[in-house]
Amino acid sequence: MSHSHIPPELITNILSHLPVKSLARFLCVSRQWYDLISDSGFIKKHLNRSVETNRDRTIILLEHDGSHCGNGFSFNFDDDEDQFCNAVKMYPPLQHCDILDCCDGLVCLLKGREEVVIWNPLLRKYRKLPSEKPKGVMDFWFSQFAFCHDHQNDDYKVLRLFQHKYLPIEIKVYSLKSQRWKKVEEQWPNKEICHWESASFNGVVHWLVSDFGVLDKESLLAFDLASEKFKLYTTPVSPDFDQETRLEALGGYLCFVVNVYGEYNDVWVMKEYGVESSWTQIYKIEKVAVPWDFEYYKPLMFSKNGKKVLLEEHWNHNPFPIEYDIEKIHSKNLIWYDIEKKQGKRVQNWSFPDAFRTATCIGSLLLLDGDNVIDPWQRNASPSEGLNLLLKAVDELENEMLER
């Protein structure tokens, strides 16, 4: 098929509007298209369109067996917010892993205390990070990870806190661009982490901290991945003894949640990042709004019209852990909460696993040069089965090209 009569800029513009699945197939159309689609400028252009239009909005659920995650399922919900489509089964690049965070269509996974992978589930590509075991430490040690996009350097980074009971907190950052770990020289402030789950937003990782032994007066500690500097902010409210406070990222805002188990979730956002006076309450889920008991609702994303928020219902959650253990947190339901009507409604889908962890994705070509995720049944496929898979892929590509 000749494209000589079509201006290159028009081809680029048309392709940038297509979903990831189509572009992945079009890589084999011609060398020209392969070079175009794999170009970093095109990947950035395509990602920006995905962010603007919420294209390929997908929920990734990793099935949870009570200790670790197993099989994965993806659900597209562009057409109907209340009823997701049927599940598409997928396999993460790590077995028995947990979801750390997600950003721009990438999902960061952790297995054990040190095996980390960055995964593009829609492309089925991944990058395994080099191991960074603590040196010279034989007894108890603890690591916490965060994943975020460094906008200033256009780089995706994984932050790791390493803490030993007798040593200061050590900070290392992995750069997807340089593919190596780097020790951060900035020292951790003289603060105690109130909750080991962080929130990554706007190229910054955030924790709720306090002075040692003073748990009723929290601050928000922010670490900028570009400048590698810390900064402290005030929170909108101070916690009472019976309240739990959490940080999340929601709809392009840093989010602060006040939770009283079984009673309410009070949710605030920092409307103007870095401006403490811009904290604004956006919704409050009270017991009368949902006809069932609840522990904690993690906000995932707004609906396209902004009138609803998708929530992940958490269970078996300990608000005051001695040692943070991600394995004790899992979800059984997703919920659409109508902010104006103050009503919650569980998403009904028989394809959902009984318990799961959740990541939200948009269409992204990031990690196009990563390793392929191979489904377990394909690893043992015979040569004839492999040929059938290839022929099937060619047929699908030809049909898609004819339709267009």
Side-chain angles (χ1 to χ4, degrees):
M1 182 171 60
S2 173
H3 312 292
S4 58
H5 62 289
I6 305 177
E9 59 273 16
L10 181 57
I11 294 177
T12 300
N13 189 49
I14 292 173
L15 291 179
S16 69
H17 285 81
L18 298 180
V20 166
K21 184 178 179 181
S22 298
L23 292 174
R25 290 173 172 173
F26 293 165
L27 286 167
C28 61
V29 168
S30 67
R31 181 69 192 184
Q32 179 187 2
W33 278 30
Y34 179 89
D35 291 340
L36 171 59
I37 295 171
S38 58
D39 178 74
S40 59
F42 178 82
I43 291 173
K44 188 70 176 178
K45 181 183 181 73
H46 181 268
L47 176 61
N48 290 337
R49 288 200 187 278
S50 293
V51 172
E52 292 168 3
T53 62
N54 273 325
R55 177 176 48 203
D56 281 345
R57 291 208 308 170
T58 304
I59 291 286
I60 306 297
L61 303 183
L62 291 190
E63 189 173 20
H64 199 274
D65 63 4
S67 60
H68 295 92
C69 293
N71 295 330
F73 303 87
S74 67
F75 300 84
N76 186 280
F77 61 109
D78 277 338
D79 297 326
D80 192 330
E81 291 171 350
D82 292 327
Q83 297 295 329
F84 292 6
C85 64
N86 291 328
V88 175
K89 195 168 186 178
M90 58 173 52
Y91 298 92
L94 292 176
Q95 294 299 306
H96 309 298
C97 61
D98 291 297
I99 294 174
L100 286 175
D101 209 340
C102 50
C103 176
D104 291 346
L106 299 178
V107 181
C108 192
L109 303 174
L110 171 67
K111 180 178 181 180
R113 293 196 292 182
E114 61 191 57
E115 193 171 357
V116 182
V117 159
I118 301 174
W119 173 40
N120 186 328
L122 300 188
L123 272 182
R124 299 190 178 188
K125 297 277 190 175
Y126 74 99
R127 175 76 49 77
K128 184 176 180 180
L129 276 59
S131 178
E132 277 287 304
K133 291 184 179 180
K135 298 178 180 179
V137 177
M138 302 300 293
D139 56 354
F140 174 80
W141 57 274
F142 173 72
S143 284
Q144 191 244 7
F145 295 87
F147 176 59
C148 196
H149 180 220
D150 175 357
H151 297 273
Q152 184 171 324
N153 298 300
D154 194 19
D155 194 4
Y156 292 86
K157 295 181 176 180
V158 175
L159 178 142
R160 175 176 183 170
L161 297 184
F162 164 68
Q163 186 174 32
H164 183 270
K165 57 184 177 181
Y166 299 123
L167 299 174
I169 293 177
E170 181 183 89
I171 310 165
K172 286 191 174 183
V173 173
Y174 175 84
S175 161
L176 191 60
K177 186 178 288 186
S178 68
Q179 299 185 37
R180 64 182 181 89
W181 289 95
K182 172 190 173 184
K183 184 177 179 179
V184 174
E185 297 302 324
E186 183 83 356
Q187 294 295 309
W188 181 268
N190 189 28
K191 295 289 183 179
E192 180 180 12
I193 296 178
C194 300
H195 198 292
W196 273 99
E197 282 192 89
S198 60
S200 301
F201 167 76
N202 202 34
V204 184
V205 183
H206 307 82
W207 301 266
L208 288 174
V209 298
S210 67
D211 293 332
F212 284 92
V214 186
L215 297 179
D216 61 343
K217 188 176 181 181
E218 292 179 339
S219 300
L220 193 158
L221 179 64
F223 179 76
D224 191 306
L225 287 168
S227 66
E228 297 187 350
K229 298 294 182 182
F230 286 101
K231 190 170 184 179
L232 282 169
Y233 297 102
T234 59
T235 58
V237 295
S238 297
D240 292 332
F241 179 76
D242 62 341
Q243 294 176 339
E244 178 202 12
T245 52
R246 297 281 295 276
L247 292 175
E248 307 284 358
L250 175 64
Y253 298 104
L254 183 63
C255 185
F256 180 83
V257 183
V258 180
N259 181 50
V260 175
Y261 285 86
E263 295 298 326
Y264 65 83
N265 277 191
D266 192 11
V267 182
W268 302 67
V269 296
M270 186 180 271
K271 285 286 189 178
E272 186 177 348
Y273 183 75
V275 179
E276 297 167 318
S277 60
S278 69
W279 282 113
T280 305
Q281 185 191 48
I282 56 170
Y283 67 85
K284 184 175 183 178
I285 304 176
E286 297 183 281
K287 193 172 183 178
V288 295
V290 290
W292 53 80
D293 294 332
F294 65 89
E295 292 192 18
Y296 177 73
Y297 290 133
K298 176 184 174 68
L300 297 176
M301 64 169 62
F302 287 111
S303 62
K304 284 190 173 181
N305 61 16
K307 294 181 179 180
K308 298 178 183 178
V309 60
L310 184 64
L311 308 170
E312 180 185 50
E313 186 177 11
H314 278 192
W315 288 92
N316 295 342
H317 181 67
N318 179 7
F320 306 107
I322 296 175
E323 176 187 353
Y324 172 65
D325 187 356
I326 194 171
E327 294 178 5
K328 297 186 183 301
I329 306 172
H330 67 271
S331 305
K332 290 186 175 181
N333 294 289
L334 296 179
I335 294 163
W336 278 113
Y337 180 75
D338 191 306
I339 298 174
E340 294 179 353
K341 297 179 180 179
K342 298 183 178 181
Q343 293 178 349
K345 180 182 177 183
R346 280 178 172 156
V347 176
Q348 301 297 324
N349 193 306
W350 294 107
S351 303
F352 283 5
D354 292 335
F356 52 83
R357 302 272 173 75
T358 307
T360 58
C361 290
I362 57 173
S364 168
L365 293 169
L366 296 168
L367 279 187
L368 190 60
D369 60 343
D371 297 323
N372 291 313
V373 178
I374 302 176
D375 296 348
W377 65 271
Q378 287 182 331
R379 293 171 187 161
N380 300 317
S382 66
S384 61
E385 289 172 330
L387 179 59
N388 289 335
L389 288 171
L390 178 60
L391 293 175
K392 181 180 179 182
V394 170
D395 288 340
E396 290 177 354
L397 178 59
E398 289 178 346
N399 291 335
E400 187 159 350
M401 294 296 291
L402 288 173
E403 290 174 1
R404 294 181 180 277

